[in-house]
């Protein structure tokens, strides 16, 4: 994939409605980001990389998957650039281009939780955990925590199906809208 200056910023603008060219690199977004310490590109660097057309770098970064969409960056930006939306846009483009995510656990979580909402109409935590274990093959990770939560009745054993039909219709409608 070539790294085309401007084109990527335009693509992000189309996807997110945000113009990264207003960013003047003050760094306030990064200073407030609660997960920046775990990113390979800070939010500030990500905005700059988008402006420079470094599509491969951004779409293959850990940053876009680690971003928790908390919007602290968006709130802090003196240029009113919605950094969180830019991150969303980058994730959408990465998924659309079927790129292997740099943090596969995050996409596995998206798949598991969206599957639960689509077929059950709501989050069924125990089902999500089990599907996540299968997708990530991390079968024993957090096992003790899960057992403790079940003992305290924080995880329901069985799912409920309230709103399942409406959720399915919504997902189908979106799938039709997204068809090229
Ligand atoms: S939305 Fe993402 S990039 Fe912005 S502060 Fe939160 S975690 Fe960091
Ligand atoms: S806070 Fe806004 S202007 Fe400052 S670096 Fe972040 S995105 Fe750019």
């Amino acid at each position: 994939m070539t790294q085309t200056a401007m084109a990527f910023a335009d693509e992000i603008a189309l996807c997110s409605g945000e113009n990264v060219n207003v960013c003047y690199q003050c760094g306030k977004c990064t200073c407030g980001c609660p997960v920046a310490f775990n990113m390979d590109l800070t939010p500030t660097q990500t905005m700059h990389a988008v402006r420079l057309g470094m599509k491969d770098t951004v779409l293959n970064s850990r940053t876009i998957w680690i971003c928790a969409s908390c919007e602290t960056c968006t709130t802090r930006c003196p240029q009113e650039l919605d950094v969180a939306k830019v991150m969303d846009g980058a994730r959408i483009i990465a998924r659309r281009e079927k790129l292997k995510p740099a943090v596969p656990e995050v996409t596995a979580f998206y798949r598991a939780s969206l599957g639960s909402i689509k077929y059950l109409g709501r989050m069924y935590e125990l089902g999500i955990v089990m599907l996540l274990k299968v997708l990530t093959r991390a079968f024993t990770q957090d096992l003790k925590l899960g057992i403790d939560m079940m003992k305290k009745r924080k995880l329901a054993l069985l799912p409920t199906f309230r709103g399942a039909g409406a959720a399915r219709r919504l997902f189908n409608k979106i799938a039709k809208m997204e068809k090229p």
Side-chain angles (χ1 to χ4, degrees), residues 20 22-31 43-45 47-48 51 72-83 86:
V20 290
V22 299
C23 169
Y24 54 35
Q25 293 288 290
C26 68
K28 281 194 77 176
C29 50
T30 300
C31 288
T44 309
Q45 288 169 336
M47 297 308 108
H48 197 50
R51 289 180 73 187
T72 307
C73 49
T74 300
T75 313
R76 288 171 63 90
C77 179
Q79 289 292 83
E80 297 187 354
L81 174 58
D82 195 331
V83 179
V86 174

Side-chain angles (χ1 to χ4, degrees), residues 42-168:
T42 64
T44 309
Q45 288 169 336
T46 308
M47 297 308 108
H48 197 50
V50 174
R51 289 180 73 187
L52 293 177
M54 296 170 70
K55 185 171 177 174
D56 289 352
T57 307
V58 173
L59 298 189
N60 290 302
S61 68
R62 289 170 51 82
T63 295
I64 61 172
W65 300 109
I66 285 175
C67 166
S69 302
C70 68
E71 300 190 354
T72 307
C73 49
T74 300
T75 313
R76 288 171 63 90
C77 179
Q79 289 292 83
E80 297 187 354
L81 174 58
D82 195 331
V83 179
K85 266 194 187 168
V86 174
M87 296 289 189
D88 256 345
R91 282 191 289 265
I92 290 167
I93 296 169
R95 293 283 290 156
R96 199 186 282 157
E97 299 198 357
K98 300 192 185 339
L99 296 176
K100 196 166 171 241
V103 190
E105 296 86 348
V106 177
T107 42
F109 179 77
Y110 282 145
R111 279 176 64 193
S113 49
L114 286 174
S116 170
I117 294 169
K118 181 174 179 182
Y119 294 106
L120 304 174
R122 60 195 55 230
M123 297 282 260
Y124 167 44
E125 287 88 354
L126 192 57
I128 293 171
V129 170
M130 289 196 294
L131 185 52
L132 203 51
K133 296 278 168 210
V134 173
L135 292 172
T136 60
R137 303 198 172 278
F139 295 107
T140 53
Q141 192 184 357
D142 297 328
L143 191 62
K144 186 181 173 314
L145 182 65
I147 293 169
D148 287 348
M149 286 178 76
M150 284 180 78
K151 277 186 193 159
K152 291 184 180 171
R153 299 177 185 229
K154 298 289 181 192
L155 287 177
L157 277 180
L158 297 173
T160 57
F161 292 87
R162 255 175 301 148
R168 193 102 42 95

